[in-house]
């Protein structure tokens, strides 16, 4: 599943982030192709902007994805809502669901395979992740531009930067989203930034498998420059 209904304003004005181009091809197409390359993936569901479903269907069809089982459904106002809507479009017999950011267009197929294999082996929730290269400080947030007091320095050997796709047992993902929806209706906790966070919130167990440095998220203009360089290297070396 690829939730792709957001605007991605940090990349600047223009088209939604998922439709920005990388090497002449929209990020969304790269992300769907990355999932479709895995033999573990039999269906890709894209949650598109509600007003842009027809455009996304045409876009995916025009980039050689007609032979894949790719379905496009209207997404929601938040990432959580888009995942819920996408989940509802997945056939009931599908027992393992991967959720992948459209803004991670270059995730290698071996990462997709590893996540799916870990769920198949018994994990209820799996995230790919990489060790942190930088020292991390926990601070007391202040107004924009003001100095922020440091509270402590976590041991970075215990920290990981999480990527996608994240993998789940279908019943676990459905349950935590239902609980989150009920809590939102009751004015409860704010949305989390990823689906594994929901599993953690509601008492589930999440495990980590190795991610990949090329599975980074394209969020800011500099990320797009780096992604262009990675894609150019891939095309030069293996005709990607």
């Amino acid at each position: 599943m690829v939730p792709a209904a957001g605007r991605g304003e940090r990349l600047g004005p223009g088209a939604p982030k998922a439709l920005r181009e990388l090497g002449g091809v929209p990020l969304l197409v790269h992300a769907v192709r990355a999932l479709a390359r895995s033999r573990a993936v039999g269906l890709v569901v894209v949650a598109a902007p509600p007003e842009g479903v027809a455009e996304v269907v045409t876009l995916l069809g025009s980039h050689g994805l007609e032979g894949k089982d790719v379905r496009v459904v209207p997404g929601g106002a938040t990432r959580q809502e888009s995942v819920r809507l996408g989940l509802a479009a997945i056939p009931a017999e599908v027992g393992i669901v991967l959720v992948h950011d459209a803004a991670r267009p270059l995730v290698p197929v071996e990462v997709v395979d590893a996540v799916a294999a870990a769920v198949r082996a018994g994990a209820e929730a799996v995230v790919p992740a990489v060790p942190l290269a930088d020292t991390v400080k926990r601070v007391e947030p202040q107004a924009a531009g003001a100095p922020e007091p440091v509270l402590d320095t976590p041991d970075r050997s215990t920290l990981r930067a999480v990527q996608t796709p994240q993998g789940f047992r279908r019943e676990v993902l459905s349950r935590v989203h239902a609980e989150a929806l009920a809590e939102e209706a009751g004015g409860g906790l704010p949305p989390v930034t990823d689906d594994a966070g929901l599993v953690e919130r509601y008492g589930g167990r999440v495990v980590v498998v190795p991610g990949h440095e090329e599975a980074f998220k394209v969020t800011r203009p500099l990320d797009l420059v780096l992604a262009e360089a990675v894609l150019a290297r891939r095309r030069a070396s293996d005709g990607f």
Side-chain angles (χ1 to χ4, degrees), residues 16-152:
K17 177 166 59 178
L19 301 184
R20 299 295 179 90
E21 291 193 348
L22 168 61
V25 176
L27 294 177
L28 176 60
V29 174
H30 284 288
V32 171
R33 283 177 175 169
L35 293 176
R37 285 190 186 94
S38 172
R39 297 178 66 180
V41 175
L43 164 69
V44 180
V45 173
V46 177
E51 71 283 359
V53 170
E55 178 186 358
V56 171
V57 169
T58 299
L59 177 73
L60 294 175
S62 68
H63 282 85
L65 295 168
E66 300 94 333
K68 303 293 183 179
D69 192 353
V70 179
R71 307 177 191 181
V72 182
V73 300
T78 66
R79 186 183 188 281
Q80 280 184 215
E81 186 179 2
S82 290
V83 172
R84 285 197 298 266
L85 293 169
L87 190 58
I90 296 175
E93 65 269 19
V94 175
I96 296 175
V97 177
L98 308 184
V99 183
H100 184 52
D101 294 334
R104 296 184 189 271
L106 299 175
V107 60
V109 69
E110 56 264 30
V111 175
V112 181
D113 291 343
V115 170
V119 181
R120 193 178 296 113
E124 61 181 20
V126 179
V127 298
V130 294
L132 297 182
D134 297 318
T135 296
V136 175
K137 302 288 185 184
R138 193 168 66 90
V139 303
E140 183 179 329
Q142 303 293 314
E148 298 177 321
V150 171
L151 300 176
D152 58 50

Side-chain angles (χ1 to χ4, degrees), residues 140-231:
E140 183 179 329
Q142 303 293 314
E148 298 177 321
V150 171
L151 300 176
D152 58 50
T153 304
D155 177 4
R156 72 182 183 191
S157 70
T158 67
L159 302 176
R160 299 292 182 268
V162 172
Q163 301 173 332
T164 69
Q166 299 182 354
F168 306 89
R169 292 188 208 165
R170 167 70 173 271
E171 69 274 13
V172 170
L173 188 60
S174 297
R175 173 180 60 81
V176 298
H177 272 279
E179 293 191 44
L181 183 61
E183 196 165 17
E184 287 172 21
L189 297 173
V192 297
T193 56
D194 70 348
D195 297 278
L198 285 181
V199 175
E200 295 167 41
R201 175 185 288 180
Y202 298 113
R205 182 170 183 267
V206 181
V207 299
V208 170
V209 298
H212 195 283
E213 61 183 4
E214 293 182 0
F216 61 88
K217 192 172 187 179
V218 177
T219 302
R220 297 176 176 85
L222 185 59
D223 301 324
L224 196 56
V225 173
L226 177 58
E228 291 279 4
V230 172
L231 183 60

